[in-house]
Amino acid sequence: DQQVKQNSPSLSVQEGRISILNCDYTNSMFDYFLWYKKYPAEGPTFLISISSIKDKNEDGRFTVFLNKSAKHLSLHIVPSQPGDSAVYFCAASEMGPGNQFYFGTGTSLTVIP
Amino acid sequence: NAGVTQTPKFQVLKTGQSMTLQCAQDMNHEYMSWYRQDPGMGLRLIHYSVGAGITDQGEVPNGYNVSRSTTEDFPLRLLSAAPSQTSVYFCASRGGKETQYFGPGTRLLVL
């Protein structure tokens, strides 16, 4: 059973507007969450992370929000740029070097110039 | 510093053939893992290793073998390829920090 879910397979946004990508998880033991970005024919690259002791983490145009009670996290991209067009995966794990990452199915973001 | 490297980039196999997907990292990371990516399925963990000599199964280990004789290398072996193993395979590594670094992937087609 999928422990990390991304229910929107795709999203289109106008350049300059906000992109909001959503992710839900079922395992209450998860305490570390990440977003990865993937371009075609490349491996995923790390974008931003958040631990469960925070509810928000910001890095430039990218902000991740965590709602532990709802088991929900979201990635906000403001402003969106055409170069942001990619597939975005969220991932979750229990903190610790030996613990597995569980990935969502990905959301394909298209930023329209 | 090359990060995580994978070879080959693309491979075509016939059903029943065997092959090894190579993965190497030069970051001295203890933790390495193999994922497969299939449409609508995201990234699923096949096998992982927490250090040289130690490996364990992930979500979808059947049909695959791994070994970890050195910190740098973590090859994935397909003993008898099946069409269901057609996929894109990613190797990843991470050290003391939680961020995981991925290789560029190997695209495998099994006919």
Side-chain angles (χ1 to χ4, degrees):
Chain A
D1 195 23
Q2 197 84 17
Q3 297 193 54
V4 179
K5 299 178 184 178
Q6 293 176 257
N7 292 319
S8 298
S10 62
L11 175 68
S12 291
V13 171
Q14 287 290 133
E15 181 179 3
R17 306 294 293 267
I18 184 171
S19 295
I20 300 176
L21 292 85
N22 294 304
C23 180
D24 297 294
Y25 60 97
T26 57
N27 188 341
S28 58
M29 298 300 291
F30 289 152
D31 54 9
Y32 188 68
F33 306 89
L34 309 91
W35 284 94
Y36 281 84
K37 178 179 181 179
K38 184 184 179 303
Y39 292 118
E42 294 183 10
T45 55
F46 170 73
L47 191 58
I48 192 168
S49 65
I50 188 167
S51 71
S52 58
I53 62 173
K54 292 185 172 182
D55 54 17
K56 174 183 173 181
N57 189 25
E58 195 170 354
D59 184 2
R61 296 185 298 112
F62 302 91
T63 303
V64 57
F65 295 91
L66 175 63
N67 182 334
K68 291 187 289 292
S69 61
K71 295 191 181 68
H72 177 83
L73 64 154
S74 61
L75 175 68
H76 292 208
I77 306 173
V78 184
S80 300
Q81 299 174 353
D84 296 329
S85 296
V87 177
Y88 290 79
F89 291 99
C90 68
S93 80
E94 298 178 44
M95 194 86 76
N99 289 320
Q100 298 181 28
F101 283 83
Y102 292 89
F103 284 81
T105 52
T107 296
S108 178
L109 173 66
T110 301
V111 180
I112 303 163
Chain B
N1 194 342
V4 181
T5 58
Q6 291 183 237
T7 56
K9 289 188 177 179
F10 180 70
Q11 183 73 46
V12 179
L13 289 179
K14 293 181 179 179
T15 297
Q17 286 185 316
S18 63
M19 80 160 293
T20 299
L21 281 66
Q22 301 292 343
C23 174
Q25 53 95 4
D26 60 1
M27 297 174 281
N28 203 32
H29 286 168
E30 291 296 323
Y31 188 100
M32 295 186 73
S33 51
W34 276 101
Y35 292 85
R36 59 179 288 174
Q37 184 195 5
D38 302 292
M41 302 294 288
L43 291 157
R44 293 183 293 169
L45 183 65
I46 304 171
H47 284 286
Y48 66 99
S49 168
V50 298
I54 306 169
T55 63
D56 207 347
Q57 297 180 351
E59 296 175 72
V60 288
N62 292 340
Y64 307 95
N65 274 0
V66 292
S67 59
R68 184 94 180 272
S69 56
T70 66
T71 299
E72 294 78 20
D73 300 298
F74 190 42
L76 178 72
R77 296 183 188 84
L78 282 71
L79 301 176
S80 178
S84 61
Q85 294 179 304
T86 293
S87 187
V88 182
Y89 292 85
F90 292 102
C91 179
S93 76
R94 76 176 192 254
K97 293 185 178 180
E98 299 298 332
T99 303
Q100 188 158 240
Y101 297 90
F102 285 86
T106 294
R107 187 174 297 271
L108 177 66
L109 175 63
V110 183
L111 301 175

